[in-house]
Amino acid sequence: MAKKNSKNPKQKTPKRSRSQQIRSGLFLAIMVFLVMLGYALFSSDTSLKEKPISDVINRANKGEITKIEGQGDDLKVTPKDQDKPTEKTYIRGGISTLTQDKLVDQTKVELSDTPADETGAILLSLSTMLIPMLLIGGLIFFMFRQAQGQNNQAMGFGKSKARLYGNEKSKVTFSEIAGTDEAKQDLVEVVDFLKHPSKFEEVGAKIPKGVLLVGPPGTGKTMLARAVAGEADVPFFSISGSEFVEMFVGVGASRVRDLFEKAKKNAPCIIFIDEIDAVGRRRGSGMGGGHDEREQTLNQILVEMDGFETGTNVIVLAATNRSDVLDPALLRPGRFDRRVNINLPERKDREAILKVHFKNKPTSNDVDLDKLAAKTAGSSGADLANIANESAIIAARANRKIINNQDVTNAFEKVAIGPERKAKVMSEEEKERTAYHEAGHAIVGHVLPDSDPVHKVTIIPRGGTGGVTWFLPPEDKNYTSIVEFKDVLARALGGRIAEEVVYGRERVTTGAGSDLRKATDIARDMVIEQGMSEAFRDQVFHEDNGGMMFDRMVHDRPYSDETAAKLDREVTKLMVEAAERARAVIKANRKPLDDLAKMLLKDETIDETVVVKVLKDAVMPAAAKLH
């Protein structure tokens, strides 16, 4: 390896030195001629004072000048009290004119004459000819260099832009990745294939062509791919799916060919294509047909993955969070043989991830990562890393060198629901309305039996909201029942209903806009995707929204207009039922509602212990029960 690296600099040196010599020669020539031009223009003694010839003649005849030196038409004058020339003048013919016309008494002044120096004129003439020639020559040279550079760029346009890793001192390994034990177990076999291919070939097993990493954003798909390369200690080519696609047809396919050729030369190695759905979407859905650049690129990937020779030991890892839109040809055996699902981390995994990110951060003893892991259900590894980083930023901003529990809590809330906007000015009327709105959410969620418990309520604007009522599940959930969905709908409408009960139907505001959108989306998902409506129980009307725009234009919905109207009525029925349940709870608990609103106006933010204490007398009315 060292021998190969020592060869490369020697091969590049001649090309680099020739280029430097050409540039240095041009620079030197230009400098020489600039010096010559300066000499030609400024060779005359500029320290001599200019005097008119008549004044010089008069003073010479009076004996005030001791010497006049001629050089062509120029005369240098030495006054009586000086030992060198201090003045200059000009007369056509120079000294000969003074002597022939007897303008000066030669008994009183010494006259001398030397031939005129033509060097300046010659240099000026040469400079005016050669400098433009040099400038034109230099311009032509750089134009050729630029054209050569563009030609090289054009020749490399179809080359792969994949970045090669594998020689770094600090490599990522499985031990540095927490919370993805199942995924790591699936990938251990891939590492074993790369390390000991002969063990599998002896029993007739073939190395897998590709492994597809599927999971939500931020779950560590790219990091796992790097860890596979680090564990196997092989080169790792990384490229994004979007880097294959260009505006020119055929470039993507050329880059695919170049990438796989490089991989075969560096085998055993790994090719990692991040966000493969950018180029691997289902064919036939675009307007360009088979001539579409993206489809040609996908075709080339399919061919290259099928064209691997036995024993090349090259594995393709790809990551996506939209596996539903990938072309079936990519997913068949022989291409991506294995699929590794990387899900959002569970509680014990979240705690392990938090420990990794807080490992090099100084924390106080009151920081409870287990409690934080319990509160961060649904967070990805990237979210947890962001919480750790925000905790350190908050501590540093307060000029503290140790992160305390309050810093961690503030960071968690900032990441989960947005930063506080304390600078936003709210009138007393708006604060009171916000307090009743958030109290409505809290009391409905507190009373309904299948709702998550209240974690915190605040009327301080956060993110894009005027206030927040935060519900946290006591434990991780994998499934949601109909009754749980209906309680979520009711508590989402609790803020709007509280405004209606306190201020009247005609005086409700736009503050519930995001709540209504969220509730409507949940209701539509229940009816269309989950088969949870009364009229369409156990029927699903799934619409694939992942295709191209042209695909959605030419394909009809999988149900009739009459069915669509019935689906809309079912959604409306769920929304009306949720509103009625929320209204029954709020009317039956008006005093706890007022008490909670007053507490919010006083303290602005209250946690779950205060909420439970204030709402200890809240009751569940019969009208709010599900029948």
Side-chain angles (χ1 to χ4, degrees):
M1 198 69 179
K3 186 177 180 181
K4 183 179 179 181
N5 291 338
S6 64
K7 235 180 234 185
N8 290 337
K10 292 180 181 179
Q11 292 173 350
K12 293 181 180 178
T13 300
K15 183 177 180 181
R16 191 183 305 120
S17 61
R18 281 197 300 271
S19 177
Q20 289 178 346
Q21 287 174 2
I22 293 173
R23 287 196 298 267
S24 300
L26 284 173
F27 178 76
L28 182 61
I30 291 173
M31 289 301 297
V32 168
F33 280 99
L34 285 176
V35 171
M36 292 168 60
L37 180 62
Y39 176 81
L41 295 176
F42 304 106
S43 59
S44 60
D45 194 346
T46 56
S47 64
L48 301 179
K49 296 180 181 179
E50 187 80 29
K51 295 290 184 179
I53 185 62
S54 58
D55 178 67
V56 172
I57 292 173
N58 290 333
R59 290 166 57 206
N61 291 329
K62 290 179 182 180
E64 297 177 359
I65 294 176
T66 59
K67 187 177 181 180
I68 299 176
E69 302 175 44
Q71 190 175 38
D73 295 338
D74 296 322
L75 303 178
K76 293 181 180 179
V77 180
T78 303
K80 188 175 181 180
D81 56 349
Q82 300 291 332
D83 57 354
K84 62 180 181 179
T86 60
E87 300 173 0
K88 65 180 179 179
T89 187
Y90 170 84
I91 186 172
R92 185 180 295 277
I95 291 294
S96 60
T97 302
L98 295 179
T99 55
Q100 290 175 5
D101 296 343
K102 298 181 180 180
L103 298 176
V104 176
D105 187 355
Q106 297 186 32
T107 61
K108 297 180 177 181
V109 63
E110 178 185 348
L111 302 177
S112 63
D113 192 16
T114 58
D117 187 5
E118 300 293 336
T119 305
I122 294 172
L123 289 177
L124 180 62
S125 177
L126 287 173
S127 300
T128 55
M129 289 188 300
L130 292 178
I131 288 181
M133 293 174 62
L134 282 173
L135 292 176
I136 294 172
L139 178 62
I140 293 173
F141 170 75
F142 285 112
M143 286 176 64
F144 273 110
R145 286 292 302 273
Q146 185 71 15
Q148 183 181 5
Q150 291 179 352
N151 184 49
N152 291 337
Q153 185 177 1
M155 293 296 291
F157 196 61
K159 299 295 183 182
S160 167
K161 297 182 179 180
R163 291 160 295 280
L164 175 61
Y165 303 94
N167 296 322
E168 302 88 353
K169 293 182 180 179
S170 57
K171 295 182 179 180
V172 180
T173 60
F174 286 149
S175 60
E176 300 173 30
I177 302 176
T180 54
D181 294 337
E182 293 82 2
K184 286 191 287 188
Q185 289 174 4
D186 292 336
L187 293 173
V188 164
E189 291 186 9
V190 176
V191 174
D192 204 14
F193 272 123
L194 291 169
K195 280 187 172 181
H196 312 289
S198 58
K199 179 174 69 174
F200 297 92
E201 291 173 359
E202 287 175 358
V203 295
K206 294 182 179 179
I207 189 170
K209 300 288 183 66
V211 179
L212 184 65
L213 306 177
V214 182
T219 48
K221 299 183 291 295
T222 304
M223 189 66 70
L224 275 173
R226 292 284 298 272
V228 172
E231 290 283 348
D233 195 23
V234 295
F236 180 83
F237 289 91
S238 176
I239 191 170
S240 170
S242 60
E243 293 184 62
F244 287 117
V245 183
E246 292 283 354
M247 62 181 294
F248 302 108
V249 176
V251 173
S254 175
R255 289 179 177 175
V256 170
R257 287 191 294 270
D258 183 66
L259 172 61
F260 279 81
E261 286 176 4
K262 289 179 180 177
K264 292 175 185 178
K265 292 177 182 178
N266 288 274
C269 72
I270 292 174
I271 296 175
F272 176 61
I273 305 175
D274 201 5
E275 304 296 345
I276 194 174
D277 52 277
V279 71
R281 284 177 176 263
R282 186 176 289 107
R283 290 169 293 180
S285 59
M287 298 182 67
H291 297 287
D292 179 70
E293 163 65 2
R294 181 185 57 80
E295 293 193 3
Q296 288 201 21
T297 306
L298 173 58
N299 291 338
Q300 190 62 45
I301 292 176
L302 298 176
V303 170
E304 292 291 343
M305 291 190 70
D306 249 355
F308 278 156
E309 299 86 358
T310 303
T312 55
N313 296 342
V314 177
I315 294 179
V316 182
L317 295 182
T320 182
N321 48 35
R322 292 297 312 274
S323 60
D324 56 311
V325 302
L326 294 180
D327 193 277
L330 268 177
L331 305 178
R332 74 160 177 81
R335 301 250 168 71
F336 284 98
D337 301 277
R338 303 195 171 200
R339 174 173 174 149
V340 178
N341 291 308
I342 306 171
N343 300 316
L344 292 171
E346 298 180 356
R347 178 172 175 171
K348 62 180 182 63
D349 296 327
R350 293 195 297 272
E351 184 180 0
I353 294 171
L354 286 169
K355 287 180 179 178
V356 169
H357 292 300
F358 276 98
K359 182 179 179 180
N360 297 320
K361 294 179 175 61
T363 56
S364 60
N365 294 329
D366 64 341
V367 174
D368 190 349
L369 296 183
D370 178 64
K371 188 176 180 181
L372 179 60
K375 294 193 297 184
T376 52
S379 299
S380 66
D383 295 329
L384 300 176
N386 196 19
I387 291 172
N389 186 57
E390 286 292 340
S391 302
I393 291 173
I394 292 172
R397 193 181 299 147
N399 296 319
R400 283 185 278 100
K401 295 185 178 180
I402 297 179
I403 302 170
N404 59 35
N405 190 59
Q406 189 59 43
D407 297 331
V408 176
T409 300
N410 293 339
F412 167 52
E413 294 178 356
K414 181 178 180 180
V415 171
I417 56 179
E420 290 184 350
R421 295 184 295 143
K422 293 184 178 180
K424 183 178 180 180
V425 179
M426 296 177 65
S427 65
E428 292 301 320
E429 181 184 354
E430 287 181 332
K431 288 182 68 175
E432 182 185 272
R433 188 179 291 271
T434 302
Y436 273 107
H437 181 102
E438 300 305 330
H441 286 306
I443 198 167
V444 173
H446 177 77
V447 169
L448 296 181
D450 294 293
S451 172
D452 296 327
V454 180
H455 173 67
K456 184 171 287 190
V457 186
T458 180
I459 60 172
I460 298 175
R462 300 193 72 124
T465 64
V468 176
T469 303
W470 198 356
F471 298 89
L472 283 180
E475 57 186 10
D476 291 356
K477 292 182 179 179
N478 295 318
Y479 307 104
T480 304
S481 65
I482 295 177
V483 292
E484 289 172 336
F485 270 134
K486 288 188 174 183
D487 282 4
V488 171
L489 288 176
R491 81 186 187 206
L493 299 180
R496 165 62 68 88
I497 300 302
E499 290 186 47
E500 180 184 316
V501 170
V502 176
Y503 299 101
R505 182 183 293 271
E506 302 302 325
R507 296 183 66 82
V508 296
T509 65
T510 58
S514 61
D515 299 329
L516 299 178
R517 285 192 295 272
K518 178 183 176 182
T520 304
D521 290 341
I522 292 174
R524 291 195 65 83
D525 184 70
M526 290 175 64
V527 174
I528 295 176
E529 300 289 344
Q530 306 300 334
M532 291 182 173
S533 66
E534 293 183 4
F536 296 102
R537 182 62 60 92
D538 303 329
Q539 294 185 59
V540 174
F541 302 90
H542 176 71
E543 295 183 45
D544 185 7
N545 295 321
M548 304 290 288
M549 178 62 70
F550 183 71
D551 192 38
R552 294 198 293 269
M553 289 169 57
V554 299
H555 288 83
D556 296 330
R557 291 179 307 188
Y559 47 87
S560 66
D561 292 340
E562 182 181 355
T563 301
K566 289 181 180 180
L567 292 173
D568 290 339
R569 286 195 291 270
E570 290 299 308
V571 172
T572 303
K573 186 185 296 184
L574 287 172
M575 295 292 290
V576 170
E577 179 188 30
E580 292 300 326
R581 295 181 71 210
R583 187 176 290 107
V585 170
I586 290 173
K587 285 184 176 180
N589 297 281
R590 180 59 191 269
K591 185 180 183 304
L593 178 72
D594 294 335
D595 294 341
L596 189 58
K598 290 177 183 178
M599 183 70 70
L600 283 169
L601 288 171
K602 177 185 176 183
D603 298 334
E604 292 188 333
T605 300
I606 56 179
D607 59 18
E608 54 189 334
T609 57
V610 178
V611 172
V612 171
K613 184 178 179 180
V614 174
L615 300 181
K616 66 180 188 314
D617 296 328
V619 297
M620 173 70 172
K625 295 180 180 179
L626 292 171
H627 301 289

